[in-house]
Amino acid sequence: MGAPENEQPELRQNLPWSKQEFEQQLRAKGSRYHIHHPFHVAMNSGKLNREQVQGWVYNRFYYQISIPIKDAAIMANTPDRDVRREWIKRITDHDGLKGEEGGIEAWLRLGEAVGLKRADITSLKFVLPGVRFAVDAYVNFARRTTWQEAVCSSLTELFAPEIHKARLASWPEVYPWIDKSGYDYFRKRLSEARRDVEHGLRISLDYFKTREQQERALDILQFKLDVLWCMLDAMQINYVTPAEVMAWSKES
């Protein structure tokens, strides 16, 4: 005898998504990516002044130097040699190799291009508490959770090429005072992010198999999206006046 008809919808709700459906659910999270945050929308539209752009570059540096630390934690937690062989590329992408510039050095050059002093950037003395708290929460998550869940948290890179393209398209026009040598980081990450997404997505689609696991994966990705959003919240509170926020709202 089959299950009563009124129980079938509930049964279907508990069935795992296919890999294609699961990937669609992950990609749908892009609507919450920080490219849609009011601060970022204003930045890409050319509405920020020099000090506000500098504040974003300065605080974002704390995130940049934390990425390879997060990736090292993932490597330390996985017994899979093949995963480590692939994942280590992410560390060298940011830390660089002898004679080869990495993402951290490229970000420092972006800082100089917007008028910041390298020594001030690396000192971290002006990093906002909210930014520091959000980034540290992300690193601690990667250290303490399973390596597969930490990999899943990196899937915000699904949406990263879009954000790099937007900056490369708009910044030279709306911020002509920024030296164009500072855009190397964004260009470099276009290809690196696509490669990283392919690897991280493959791991996540293979590992999160039950519906409960898949929904857990969506929660993890949302956590990482919240980290990036909170960073911009802190910057908007500290660098943007209420009058500017009101003006942005009227224009949108």
Side-chain angles (χ1 to χ4, degrees):
M1 225 177 135
E5 187 175 343
N6 62 357
E7 288 184 12
Q8 290 178 359
E10 182 179 351
L11 179 62
R12 286 198 296 270
Q13 288 175 2
N14 293 325
L15 291 175
W17 291 306
S18 68
K19 284 188 177 182
Q20 183 179 11
E21 291 171 328
F22 182 30
E23 181 176 343
Q24 289 173 347
Q25 292 286 337
L26 291 168
R27 291 187 180 276
K29 286 287 186 180
S31 63
R32 303 292 298 276
Y33 195 45
H34 66 293
I35 196 172
H36 304 296
H37 191 286
F39 187 93
H40 204 286
V41 171
M43 182 166 63
N44 275 8
S45 302
K47 295 174 183 175
L48 299 192
N49 60 39
R50 184 183 299 257
E51 290 72 23
Q52 290 165 338
V53 173
Q54 289 175 339
W56 177 78
V57 173
Y58 181 89
N59 279 277
R60 182 80 181 191
F61 181 71
Y62 187 65
Y63 178 77
Q64 299 304 133
I65 62 173
S66 298
I67 292 174
I69 297 173
K70 174 268 299 182
D71 288 326
I74 292 174
M75 287 185 60
N77 287 336
T78 178
D80 191 318
R81 181 172 61 168
D82 289 335
V83 171
R84 294 197 303 269
R85 283 173 169 170
E86 185 69 22
W87 209 265
I88 198 171
K89 296 175 185 176
R90 298 175 180 242
I91 297 177
T92 55
D93 282 347
H94 285 83
D95 284 342
L97 297 168
K98 188 174 182 180
E100 184 177 336
E101 178 183 285
I104 291 175
E105 174 61 27
W107 197 270
L108 285 168
R109 293 187 181 182
L110 172 62
E112 291 174 328
V114 302
L116 295 171
K117 294 180 180 178
R118 180 176 289 242
D120 286 339
I121 302 172
T122 57
S123 73
L124 305 178
K125 59 186 178 182
F126 301 120
V127 175
L128 297 171
V131 170
R132 191 183 294 271
F133 185 85
V135 174
D136 288 352
Y138 178 41
V139 174
N140 287 332
F141 175 80
R143 284 174 173 153
R144 296 171 181 173
T145 195
T146 65
W147 69 269
Q148 294 96 335
E149 289 196 345
V151 166
C152 182
S153 70
S154 75
L155 288 181
T156 48
E157 289 189 329
L158 283 166
F159 323 115
E162 176 187 359
I163 211 167
H164 297 317
K165 284 181 182 178
R167 292 166 186 159
L168 288 169
S170 65
W171 281 33
E173 180 178 351
V174 298
Y175 301 118
W177 52 269
I178 298 179
D179 191 299
K180 290 180 174 55
S181 64
Y183 298 135
D184 288 345
Y185 177 87
F186 304 139
R187 296 189 188 96
K188 192 168 183 282
R189 286 305 297 165
L190 282 173
S191 59
E192 290 174 350
R194 291 190 183 99
R195 179 206 67 203
D196 293 347
V197 162
E198 182 180 342
H199 185 222
L201 187 59
R202 185 169 68 249
I203 291 172
S204 296
L205 293 178
D206 287 342
Y207 177 76
F208 296 93
K209 295 180 179 178
T210 69
R211 184 62 170 269
E212 183 180 7
Q213 288 174 326
Q214 292 169 338
E215 290 179 349
R216 167 66 176 164
L218 294 178
D219 289 341
I220 291 168
L221 183 53
Q222 185 61 58
F223 159 72
K224 175 60 184 308
L225 290 165
D226 289 345
V227 165
L228 297 171
W229 197 274
C230 285
M231 290 170 63
L232 290 181
D233 279 347
M235 293 182 222
Q236 179 160 315
I237 290 169
N238 282 271
Y239 299 135
V240 181
T241 66
E244 286 173 307
V245 174
M246 288 294 294
W248 297 349
S249 299
K250 291 177 181 178
E251 294 173 9
S252 62

